[in-house]
Amino acid sequence: MNKKNLWGVLIVLLISSLVLYFDLRATPMATLKAAAGQIIPWRLVLVFLAMALSYVCEALILRLLAKRPGTAKRSFWSYLRIPLIQALFNGITPMATGGQPSQLAAMVEMSMSGGRATSILMMKFICYQLVVLFAYLTAFIFGFHFVAGKFSALAIFIFLGFALHVFSIILLLLAMFVHNWTVKAVKKVMKLLGRIFGQERVQAWEKSTLEQVESFYKESQALKDEKKKLWGVVLLTVGQLLCYYSAPYLTLRALGQPVDYVQVTLMTILIIMFMAVIPLPGASGGAEFSFQTLFASFISQPGVVVLAMFLWRFATYFFGMILGIFGWSFKPAKLRD
């Protein structure tokens, strides 16, 4: 990792330490000890197992998309390290901007061509966004009213996160299914931007954007021709997200809380929407705040909420970063297709 990445790690650790300090200062140690005494070890193991399974599902998605006649028989570790490296760079870059480039670098590192790696990641991204759209719509329809009724300020940011995701997914769908119209729309928008930022700069933006539109369109057409592979990727993506979204429920159950799976999962998806508008690496500060705010509403013991938040944050965030460091360190054999 370069100095920029190390600064990301330091910022994350600093903010997390400040959150920990203020929470511990506001919560009596006796309360935290009482909450820790409620931990059921085997259920706590399930939290980390769920996160590990989410990475395994993502690795299986990559292996399935990469499978075709003439490809090298790469080890499962070659594919498993890719989501681990993504977790690391998602965590240390603002708004998870480093995740996709790090995956591409990891795939090129195992001697896969850059074009083929980009194609695989593009297909994975398309399937992921379609599944996520369904999850976000479900959570917004059935869970947003609860947040809006009790936490109006937080609801505004959740709505912004939802709008941001839906807008990006709509653009993706337009690029996939209304190709000619999308190309014309991009050119018109760039023409308007040219009056503001100058034609020379905007021409570079237009070229890059149109290349992305073409890539999305080509990969979506390729997916349509491989329906079995498409359904396999969709099912694995559902499994990946279910494991990830289940982490808060499993954490609360590990602390002996009789919570409802559907309600907790809906709240979890809303938290993730809120995290989308936090520009800091790993949404540090905002993730902890939203977790405590939402789950404190139906858990009576404050010590349990604080402890659950840190266990959840470690399992879903720092655990992935630690595994990502191992993934980055232990490189696979280089096998060319």
Side-chain angles (χ1 to χ4, degrees), residues 61 65 100 118-133 169 172-173 175-177 212-224 230 233-234 237:
I61 291 167
L65 288 172
Q100 289 290 334
T118 302
S119 174
I120 290 169
L121 291 175
M122 198 76 75
M123 287 190 282
K124 182 170 82 75
F125 180 74
I126 291 170
C127 293
Y128 180 84
Q129 290 298 329
L130 292 175
V131 176
V132 161
L133 175 61
I169 292 169
L172 172 65
L173 293 174
M176 288 167 58
F177 299 109
Q212 292 296 320
V213 169
E214 289 298 324
S215 296
F216 275 120
Y217 179 71
K218 288 178 181 177
E219 298 308 329
S220 64
Q221 298 306 306
L223 276 173
K224 287 178 185 178
L230 172 62
V233 171
V234 168
T237 304

Side-chain angles (χ1 to χ4, degrees), residues 10 39 48 67 144 157 161 178 214 216 239 241 261 316:
L10 291 174
I39 293 176
F48 293 92
K67 189 177 180 181
F144 185 73
F157 288 101
V178 198
E214 289 298 324
F216 275 120
L241 290 174
Y261 177 78
T316 59

Side-chain angles (χ1 to χ4, degrees), residues 314-330:
F314 183 83
T316 59
Y317 185 59
F318 291 103
F319 179 57
M321 287 177 64
I322 292 168
L323 292 177
I325 292 171
F326 281 101
W328 188 262
S329 303
F330 296 97

Side-chain angles (χ1 to χ4, degrees), residues 17-87:
S17 299
L18 288 172
V19 172
L20 177 62
Y21 169 73
F22 286 113
D23 276 328
L24 291 180
R25 191 178 68 170
T27 308
M29 286 304 297
T31 305
L32 285 173
K33 285 182 179 179
Q38 299 178 36
I39 293 176
I40 303 168
W42 70 268
R43 286 184 178 173
L44 185 59
V45 171
L46 290 179
V47 182
F48 293 92
L49 182 60
M51 288 307 303
L53 284 174
S54 72
Y55 298 131
V56 169
C57 285
E58 193 167 355
L60 290 171
I61 291 167
L62 290 167
R63 189 170 72 168
L64 179 61
L65 288 172
K67 189 177 180 181
R68 67 174 185 179
T71 54
K73 292 184 178 179
R74 296 182 174 90
S75 66
F76 184 66
W77 171 246
S78 299
Y79 295 104
L80 181 58
R81 69 189 291 267
I82 295 168
L84 302 182
I85 290 171
Q86 180 192 22

Side-chain angles (χ1 to χ4, degrees), residues 287-310:
E288 293 86 350
F289 167 75
S290 57
F291 185 96
Q292 291 187 78
T293 302
L294 292 179
F295 287 108
S297 61
F298 55 90
I299 297 174
S300 58
Q301 299 168 275
V304 170
V305 177
V306 173
L307 186 59
M309 183 269 292
F310 284 109

